[in-house]
Amino acid sequence: MKKILLLAASAALILSAVSCDNSKKKKADGKPVYTVVENPQVDLSAFPVDDEGYIVLFDGTSLNGWRGYGKEAVPSRWTIDDGALKFSGTGSGEAQTGEGGDIIFAHKFKNFELKLEWKVSKGGNSGIFYLAREVETPNEDGTVKYEPIYISSPEYQVLDNANHPDAKLGKDGNRQSASLYDMIPAVPQNQKPYGEWNQASIMVYKGTVVHNQNDTNVLEYHLWTPKWTEMLQASKFSQEAWPLAYELLNNCGGDEHEGYIGFQDHGDDVWFRNIRIKILD
């Protein structure tokens, strides 16, 4: 049994002791192909609830509850900037010091509505992840490494459509803002220009997922269905192109159908604020 990660101490974090998931995908020789790691979760009762019944995950003043994906603490390039959670990237051409990496809120959610606002710098690229799990795979030397967060998580695309080349890739605009990345385009495409705040919401309820951008529902799909498997197979996460991602995403959230909320370090400046969530079950 490997040693679990411990979160950095914080008065707002009340941790429950857990260990690695006992169910591991194994190769023919009995060695694990991957392990889903179960790390301590924060106690949601330590976080305020607003007048609409949403739990405030980020109030603009504290990073309590947040940490790096596969890490103990918040990477140093994630900071609080004028009430927003900011990632300082390298897109400006200026050298950046400090640690990067994706960030998660350290509690798993199952049925929920997530609301927030985001903006990017010119040509910026990022993403909002949900139902994410922390996945380790072995190296040949016997050590292990964390796979990227998007290997197990659907992604709500965050992008400057007008200036980032990814907006013209994929199919039918399925890599543009608020799209289910590389699978379903956001229609209508109502993104605001870089430097302006966009409203985003993601609703997940018993497999039904809805992306909303600037008060408009732009796509809906259904997890854990034959159609979901078909969409994966037609994407960059197909069984032939990326078998591990295909397997994990086909059963995203695992048997409990739950996982982390996360934000992406894609190397560009991005800001998130007013991050709150309502539990639907």
Side-chain angles (χ1 to χ4, degrees):
M1 184 71 68
K2 68 184 293 298
K3 185 182 294 183
I4 61 173
L5 289 172
L6 298 180
L7 294 180
S10 169
L13 304 185
I14 302 174
L15 305 181
S16 58
V18 289
S19 60
C20 289
D21 188 343
N22 289 326
S23 59
K24 300 180 181 181
K25 181 72 175 181
K26 295 183 181 294
K27 299 179 182 178
D29 61 6
K31 295 181 179 179
V33 174
Y34 67 83
T35 301
V36 177
V37 182
E38 298 294 341
N39 286 311
Q41 297 189 59
V42 299
D43 184 346
L44 290 181
S45 67
F47 295 84
V49 178
D50 67 15
D51 293 341
E52 296 180 274
Y54 287 82
I55 302 166
V56 179
L57 303 185
F58 175 72
D59 64 2
T61 65
S62 170
L63 294 174
N64 289 339
W66 296 87
R67 63 176 174 84
Y69 171 84
K71 297 176 180 178
E72 298 181 6
V74 175
S76 60
R77 282 163 61 187
W78 288 95
T79 59
I80 297 174
D81 177 43
D82 193 23
L85 176 59
K86 180 188 178 183
F87 179 79
S88 296
T90 57
S92 64
E94 298 178 359
Q96 291 288 346
T97 59
E99 183 185 23
D102 301 329
I103 192 174
I104 61 172
F105 185 80
H107 186 90
K108 292 182 180 179
F109 298 99
K110 187 170 186 176
N111 297 314
F112 59 87
E113 184 176 27
L114 174 71
K115 289 190 174 185
L116 57 96
E117 295 174 87
W118 63 268
K119 67 177 180 179
V120 289
S121 57
K122 185 175 181 179
N125 187 340
S126 184
I128 304 167
F129 299 106
Y130 49 97
L131 300 177
R133 295 186 287 168
E134 292 182 297
V135 177
E136 281 185 347
T137 55
N139 294 312
E140 294 196 359
D141 63 2
T143 61
V144 294
K145 64 180 178 182
Y146 274 94
E147 292 293 330
I149 190 172
Y150 52 78
I151 202 170
S152 70
S153 170
E155 179 181 350
Y156 180 115
Q157 175 76 312
V158 168
L159 194 77
D160 173 12
N161 293 336
N163 296 288
H164 196 287
D166 211 21
K168 298 179 177 62
L169 301 178
K171 182 178 180 182
D172 299 326
N174 67 2
R175 295 188 182 183
Q176 295 184 7
S177 169
S179 297
L180 175 64
Y181 178 75
D182 207 54
M183 285 188 268
I184 305 176
V187 179
Q189 182 48 252
N190 60 348
Q191 181 210 55
K192 295 180 181 179
Y194 74 88
E196 296 186 23
W197 288 103
N198 291 270
Q199 295 181 351
S201 73
I202 300 168
M203 189 274 290
V204 178
Y205 187 70
K206 297 183 179 180
T208 295
V209 181
V210 177
H211 287 190
N212 183 292
Q213 180 168 253
N214 295 321
D215 295 321
T216 301
N217 289 341
V218 294
L219 67 83
E220 177 180 336
Y221 68 99
H222 304 276
L223 291 167
W224 315 304
T225 63
K227 179 63 176 177
W228 171 242
T229 301
E230 180 183 326
M231 288 193 299
L232 282 173
Q233 188 59 23
S235 74
K236 66 184 288 184
F237 308 108
S238 70
Q239 192 167 27
E240 293 76 19
W242 201 343
L244 181 56
Y246 174 84
E247 179 173 341
L248 290 166
L249 284 166
N250 207 21
N251 188 35
C252 63
D255 293 341
E256 298 300 320
H257 292 170
E258 64 181 13
Y260 298 111
I261 303 296
F263 300 132
Q264 186 177 38
D265 162 9
H266 204 282
D268 301 314
D269 288 357
V270 61
W271 294 258
F272 301 95
R273 71 180 183 186
N274 296 329
I275 306 166
R276 56 200 187 116
I277 197 166
K278 181 180 285 187
I279 308 299
L280 299 180
D281 56 354

